[in-house]
Amino acid sequence: MTRLQRTFTVSQRRACRVLDQSRSTQRYQSRPNDQEKRLVKRMHELVRQHPRYGYRRIWALLRLDGWIVNRKRIHRLWRREGFKVPRKQRKKTRLGSSINSIIRHRAEHKDHVWCWGFIHDTDERGRPLKWLSLIDEYTRECLALEVARSITAADAIDVLAEVFIIRGVPGHVRSDNGPEFIASAIRSYLEKADVQTLYVAPASPWENGYAESFHSRLRDELLNAELFADLREARMLADRWRNEYNHRRPHSALGYVPPASFAATLTGPPVGAPPLPPAQSAKDHPMPQTLINTGT
């Protein structure tokens, strides 16, 4: 038996009445959201500028730009636009902890413990570039980022002296056992400044974890992203990246606040901070008398 199929035309008014649906809902047409377009455009700009940032750090940058936006919304737009940060594979290491490691001797306040270390790279012609970083472990600020063809113990003392004049004197300086850091000139200089040295165990980079973490970010976001034409360009880009790291880059360990902003929320120097003693000799990096106040 053949069934006849008939098509009946029903008015929109009658259909809405039968379905108990508002006619305004039926006739609604979505309008493009200009604000969301501008938000997505800004997200694309930030992702191009910072290809190694995840959605949380992009969300923090948007908040710094003045966007009032929820993190879940940024995550939804992030997934919709197909953004993705490639995962890095790390080898598992058997951790230990000597008395000078970050586990047993942690920074308790600003300028309590600084750490420093070297990282190496080359320019586009294969010539060596040696980078020296100096970090405040409590505020995560990059106090110095120097780059040169080679950096000796005397050069490292020059960097310390300049930061001491601007920042003040820390309680401790943590480092590995590199020849530049264990040199007698640096030991003598730090002893005169009443700064304790924290040398981690040999072949234990995890014990100087703050320096290693900073170098990982430096490698990932600058050294692997830029091709340096010469030393002059490397220094220019180092200064620009250090300024952005301190003042613009949200730091996950600080609640996605830039290190300089976090440091600005702290009060003055802690009670009992050791003052800098007067210089014993006027030669070979004398101790400036302006280093009595250790807080900035």
Side-chain angles (χ1 to χ4, degrees):
M1 182 177 180
T2 304
R3 295 184 179 180
L4 297 179
Q5 296 181 354
R6 297 182 180 180
T7 303
F8 296 93
T9 302
V10 181
S11 66
Q12 186 182 88
R13 183 190 303 270
R14 182 177 180 181
C16 289
R17 186 169 62 249
V18 171
L19 297 176
D20 195 19
Q21 176 177 321
S22 173
R23 292 173 61 195
S24 60
T25 303
Q26 180 65 30
R27 295 180 178 181
Y28 174 79
Q29 294 182 355
S30 62
R31 299 176 182 177
N33 191 334
D34 293 336
Q35 183 183 16
E36 183 164 305
K37 285 186 177 181
R38 291 187 287 107
L39 176 60
V40 172
K41 181 180 179 182
R42 182 56 180 159
M43 287 180 61
H44 278 271
E45 293 174 354
L46 292 175
V47 169
R48 284 195 298 268
Q49 294 175 10
H50 311 284
R52 297 297 306 175
Y53 285 9
Y55 80 91
R56 292 182 179 88
R57 195 161 276 122
I58 294 296
W59 165 75
L61 288 177
L62 290 170
R63 299 275 293 186
L64 291 175
D65 287 343
W67 288 90
I68 303 177
V69 60
N70 189 282
R71 189 177 68 180
K72 294 181 179 179
R73 183 183 179 191
I74 297 302
H75 184 231
R76 175 178 59 81
L77 296 175
W78 177 277
R79 293 174 62 90
R80 192 191 73 183
E81 296 299 317
F83 298 138
K84 187 177 181 181
V85 180
R87 290 184 176 273
K88 295 189 299 182
Q89 293 184 353
R90 295 184 175 89
K91 295 182 179 180
K92 294 184 179 180
T93 311
R94 189 177 184 87
L95 299 181
S97 58
S98 66
I99 192 172
N100 291 334
S101 69
I102 60 174
I103 298 176
R104 298 198 178 179
H105 201 118
R106 301 183 67 89
E108 299 177 357
H109 52 74
K110 179 181 177 181
D111 296 328
H112 181 208
V113 181
W114 293 358
C115 63
W116 57 349
F118 289 109
I119 187 171
H120 299 268
D121 198 40
T122 58
D123 61 17
E124 64 179 0
R125 296 175 59 183
R127 294 172 296 186
L129 294 173
K130 191 173 184 179
W131 305 69
L132 171 63
S133 65
L134 181 64
I135 310 297
D136 187 320
E137 291 190 359
Y138 189 80
T139 66
R140 309 300 205 275
E141 293 172 283
C142 178
L143 306 179
L145 184 60
E146 299 293 326
V147 55
R149 298 298 181 191
S150 65
I151 299 178
T152 63
D155 298 327
I157 292 177
D158 289 336
V159 173
L160 274 182
E162 182 177 355
V163 178
F164 282 0
I165 293 174
I166 299 174
R167 177 85 171 199
V169 181
H172 305 77
V173 173
R174 195 191 321 270
S175 70
D176 56 26
N177 294 272
E180 299 87 356
F181 300 134
I182 64 175
S184 59
I186 286 187
R187 288 175 178 264
S188 175
Y189 181 79
L190 293 177
E191 183 179 356
K192 291 177 182 178
D194 198 18
V195 178
Q196 303 295 320
T197 55
L198 300 175
Y199 293 108
V200 302
S204 304
W206 55 86
E207 295 191 356
N208 195 14
Y210 293 104
E212 294 297 323
S213 177
F214 176 81
H215 288 165
S216 177
R217 303 283 78 75
L218 176 65
R219 173 77 66 185
D220 195 30
E221 298 173 11
L222 179 63
L223 304 189
N224 289 348
E226 299 286 350
L227 185 61
F228 307 106
D230 50 27
L231 180 60
R232 181 180 178 182
E233 184 181 39
R235 286 173 174 169
M236 179 193 69
L237 293 176
D239 289 340
R240 187 175 70 180
W241 188 85
R242 174 175 170 265
N243 182 70
E244 182 175 350
Y245 176 88
N246 285 335
H247 299 278
R248 284 283 300 169
R249 183 186 187 276
H251 202 295
S252 58
L254 303 177
Y256 291 96
V257 174
S261 300
F262 172 75
T265 64
L266 304 177
T267 56
V271 178
L276 181 68
Q280 299 179 3
S281 174
K283 64 177 184 178
D284 239 3
H285 307 287
M287 298 292 137
Q289 295 296 318
T290 57
L291 301 188
I292 300 210
N293 183 10
T294 61
T296 55

